[in-house]
Amino acid sequence: QIRSIKIMPDKFNIQKDFSPEKFFADSWQLAEGHPLTKVVVKLDKSIARWFRDRILHPSQKTKENKDGSLTLSFKVAGTDEIKRWILSQGGCAYVVEPKSLREEIVKEAKKMIKGD
């Protein structure tokens, strides 16, 4: 909450060639400045229909699997934001790669169970 406001003497000038679209192009949402990481997520057939025709990120590649599931792959700047999206899919999402992200998801799920 804002409790007070003060006008500062410094001015912020946006560079004329600045493009938010380019600046955030590889971000899942808003995070930037992280190395590009390939993320592959398999979505269970129970939720696949919700994502079959949705484009979640410009780099997205979608593969329909014979069992009705979907495999989505992305190249994103950092994994913190996409990790939250994966967690929001619960047990219907499985991180195929990278292994480090899968381990983070497991760690987070264990914390959720313990209540830490």
Side-chain angles (χ1 to χ4, degrees):
Q1 295 178 356
I2 298 173
R3 298 190 189 268
S4 67
I5 188 166
K6 179 180 177 185
I7 297 175
M8 303 299 289
D10 300 332
K11 297 210 185 275
F12 178 79
N13 295 313
I14 299 173
Q15 297 175 356
K16 290 181 183 186
D17 62 344
F18 177 76
S19 164
E21 292 80 12
K22 287 181 183 176
F23 189 75
F24 294 111
D26 296 322
S27 302
W28 181 253
Q29 292 178 325
L30 294 175
E32 58 77 34
H34 301 282
L36 276 182
T37 303
K38 181 180 180 184
V39 176
V40 179
V41 180
K42 185 175 181 183
L43 299 177
D44 186 83
K45 66 181 178 181
S46 64
I47 65 166
R49 64 186 169 139
W50 302 113
F51 296 97
R52 191 162 278 116
D53 297 320
R54 279 182 69 191
I55 302 299
L56 301 169
H57 191 267
S59 69
Q60 178 176 326
K61 292 188 176 153
T62 304
K63 178 185 168 211
E64 292 196 41
N65 302 309
K66 289 181 182 181
D67 65 358
S69 66
L70 281 182
T71 300
L72 305 178
S73 63
F74 312 95
K75 287 189 179 172
V76 294
T79 58
D80 286 343
E81 291 179 324
I82 197 168
K83 178 174 74 173
R84 289 189 288 277
W85 174 77
I86 294 165
L87 284 164
S88 75
Q89 304 312 312
C92 295
Y94 173 76
V95 177
V96 178
E97 62 178 276
K99 183 180 177 184
S100 59
L101 178 57
R102 185 170 55 244
E103 290 168 350
E104 286 180 41
I105 296 280
V106 168
K107 190 176 180 180
E108 194 72 24
K110 286 180 180 177
K111 282 173 47 179
M112 291 166 70
I113 291 167
K114 286 183 177 180
D116 291 347

